[in-house]
Amino acid sequence: MQLQSPLINTIIKTMTIISKDIVKAIEILNNDDVVAIPTETVYGLAGNIYSEKAIKKIFQVKQRPLFNPLIVHIHSIKKIHDIVSEFPDKAEILANAFWPGPLTLILKKKSNIPDLITGGKDTVAVRIPNHPITLSLLKQLSFPLAAPSANPFNRISPTSSLHVEDYFKNTISMVLEGGECKNGIESTIIGFENNEPVLYRLGSISIEDIINVIGQIKIKNNKEIAPNAPGMLAKHYAPKTKTYLVNDVENFVKNYQNKKIGILRFSEDIHSINVVHVEILSKTGDLKEAASRLYNSLHKLDNLNLDMIVAEIVPDFGLGKSINDRLERATK
């Protein structure tokens, strides 16, 4: 099945309400509309996977190409067999180890899963989010939710309800308030080729943690045409402001004395006459804290009307690999 990028039609304008009212969220979702929901990774823009109207609205609101598959969210591992036709042994091991949590599995789909969800592929992305509000919501619905990140295509992912409201204040009716996202970057995505695991997206679970559970794993996390999973495109997670990723921030900014510059550093401050603001991801050098602060820091810098953002490459191990992956895609 060949799916083309959507031509975005006029979307009826509404006023976004940030609310903790799960009953209202259920009503909206049951009426084939969309709601932004919190997860431990980022906020998602959610709709009934079996509602063509809701899923088309997700693509329209996000301006997301139809070839880019969505992630299905369920509340229990028992529900996996409603979604997939095959559940390889290593997939089950991973699910038992990391669900609920920031792991997405790409598995052979059942025939009832719409092609609109899967980018026309015979596989479907599925996970159990680790957020009490969204788990409660999913338990009260009669259908799973498709929920890509609640941001316009290629822009910085949202880690607070206010980020979502800033993006979609006139196009969605509700953000379900769930506080700041504790992990701060998207789920790790793993698929299977010949029943062997393949990592398609670096995320909130490190490669090292995956290897500790199932052994060595292939990495295939870049694909521009018909990607296997979300987050594989070269340009993604990007600020509006021109952004650079460098090893030596201090030497780099010396070449731009007449520019208003914002800095994203791992653990140390910087003092330069043309630096307007510095965001430090973790003063203690904690990669988990750095990951949790990444998108919020980029949002802050992107709202300062800067000429450029200069980001520092973080130590490239553990969650540092996931952080660097996001920064590399943000600077394409």
Side-chain angles (χ1 to χ4, degrees), residues 8-134:
I8 306 305
N9 298 317
T10 301
I11 298 170
I12 297 174
K13 289 192 174 183
T14 183
M15 182 60 71
T16 301
I17 297 171
I18 298 175
S19 172
K20 294 182 178 180
D21 189 350
I22 288 183
V23 173
K24 181 63 176 177
I26 291 169
E27 178 186 338
I28 293 169
L29 291 164
N30 279 329
N31 285 330
D32 298 321
D33 207 345
V34 301
V35 172
I37 61 171
T39 78
E40 78 280 23
T41 57
V42 300
Y43 274 73
L45 188 60
N48 177 357
I49 68 167
Y50 301 115
S51 168
E52 183 177 345
K53 178 182 176 183
I55 300 308
K56 282 185 174 179
K57 182 167 182 178
I58 289 173
F59 280 104
Q60 290 173 341
V61 167
K62 281 180 61 67
Q63 301 180 50
R64 181 186 180 98
L66 287 172
F67 63 73
N68 205 2
L70 307 181
I71 297 174
V72 173
H73 291 65
I74 57 177
H75 66 81
S76 168
I77 199 167
K78 294 177 182 177
K79 294 290 184 181
I80 190 72
H81 298 290
D82 296 340
I83 308 296
V84 308
S85 61
E86 297 177 14
F87 197 28
D89 289 343
K90 287 187 177 180
E92 189 169 1
I93 291 169
L94 286 164
N96 286 323
F98 295 113
W99 281 354
L103 171 72
T104 294
L105 296 175
I106 308 288
L107 303 167
K108 293 291 184 182
K109 71 170 187 170
K110 280 199 164 179
S111 59
N112 63 318
I113 303 302
D115 286 338
L116 192 57
I117 297 288
T118 67
K121 295 181 178 297
D122 64 355
T123 54
V124 61
V126 60
R127 86 176 184 102
I128 302 177
N130 189 16
H131 194 291
I133 292 174
T134 292

Side-chain angles (χ1 to χ4, degrees), residues 9-297:
N9 298 317
T10 301
I11 298 170
I12 297 174
K13 289 192 174 183
T14 183
M15 182 60 71
T16 301
I17 297 171
I18 298 175
S19 172
K20 294 182 178 180
D21 189 350
I22 288 183
V23 173
K24 181 63 176 177
I26 291 169
E27 178 186 338
I28 293 169
L29 291 164
N30 279 329
N31 285 330
D32 298 321
D33 207 345
V34 301
V35 172
I37 61 171
T39 78
E40 78 280 23
T41 57
V42 300
Y43 274 73
L45 188 60
N48 177 357
I49 68 167
Y50 301 115
S51 168
E52 183 177 345
K53 178 182 176 183
I55 300 308
K56 282 185 174 179
K57 182 167 182 178
I58 289 173
F59 280 104
Q60 290 173 341
V61 167
K62 281 180 61 67
Q63 301 180 50
R64 181 186 180 98
L66 287 172
F67 63 73
N68 205 2
L70 307 181
I71 297 174
V72 173
H73 291 65
I74 57 177
H75 66 81
S76 168
I77 199 167
K78 294 177 182 177
K79 294 290 184 181
I80 190 72
H81 298 290
D82 296 340
I83 308 296
V84 308
S85 61
E86 297 177 14
F87 197 28
D89 289 343
K90 287 187 177 180
E92 189 169 1
I93 291 169
L94 286 164
N96 286 323
F98 295 113
W99 281 354
L103 171 72
T104 294
L105 296 175
I106 308 288
L107 303 167
K108 293 291 184 182
K109 71 170 187 170
K110 280 199 164 179
S111 59
N112 63 318
I113 303 302
D115 286 338
L116 192 57
I117 297 288
T118 67
K121 295 181 178 297
D122 64 355
T123 54
V124 61
V126 60
R127 86 176 184 102
I128 302 177
N130 189 16
H131 194 291
I133 292 174
T134 292
L135 284 173
S136 177
L137 173 68
L138 286 164
K139 288 173 184 176
Q140 296 177 66
L141 294 170
S142 62
F143 46 80
L145 294 174
S149 56
N151 56 294
F153 184 61
N154 279 343
R155 295 285 300 284
I156 308 168
S157 298
T159 54
S160 75
S161 57
L162 290 175
H163 293 160
V164 183
E165 183 187 44
D166 285 345
Y167 280 141
F168 299 130
K169 62 186 66 174
N170 294 319
T171 51
I172 66 172
S173 57
M174 183 178 178
V175 182
L176 185 59
E177 177 62 78
E180 297 279 337
C181 299
K182 66 179 182 180
N183 287 44
I185 56 175
E186 292 81 0
S187 59
T188 299
I189 299 182
I190 293 176
F192 292 83
E193 298 177 7
N194 299 317
N195 280 330
E196 289 301 315
V198 178
L199 190 143
Y200 291 133
R201 181 173 74 183
L202 295 158
S204 285
I205 301 172
S206 70
I207 297 173
E208 291 87 344
D209 286 343
I210 297 295
I211 290 172
N212 284 340
V213 172
I214 57 167
Q216 290 300 316
I217 182 170
K218 292 181 181 178
I219 300 175
K220 295 183 179 180
N221 64 331
N222 291 289
K223 193 175 183 184
E224 288 294 298
I225 306 299
N228 301 83
M232 297 183 75
L233 302 180
K235 183 176 177 61
H236 213 16
Y237 318 111
K240 300 186 301 293
T241 310
K242 179 64 178 175
T243 303
Y244 299 87
L245 180 61
V246 302
N247 271 309
D248 190 337
V249 171
E250 296 191 25
N251 275 329
F252 184 87
V253 299
K254 289 176 183 177
N255 297 317
Y256 298 92
Q257 293 294 328
N258 297 320
K259 299 290 186 180
K260 292 188 299 180
I261 300 174
I263 301 295
L264 183 69
R265 294 211 77 174
F266 176 46
S267 61
E268 297 179 359
D269 206 342
I270 179 175
H271 301 284
S272 180
I273 193 167
N274 56 329
V275 171
V276 174
H277 182 72
V278 180
E279 282 289 312
I280 299 173
L281 293 178
S282 175
K283 291 182 180 179
T284 62
D286 185 316
L287 287 168
K288 186 173 182 181
E289 180 186 21
S292 73
R293 288 177 43 81
L294 175 64
Y295 289 146
N296 191 49
S297 296

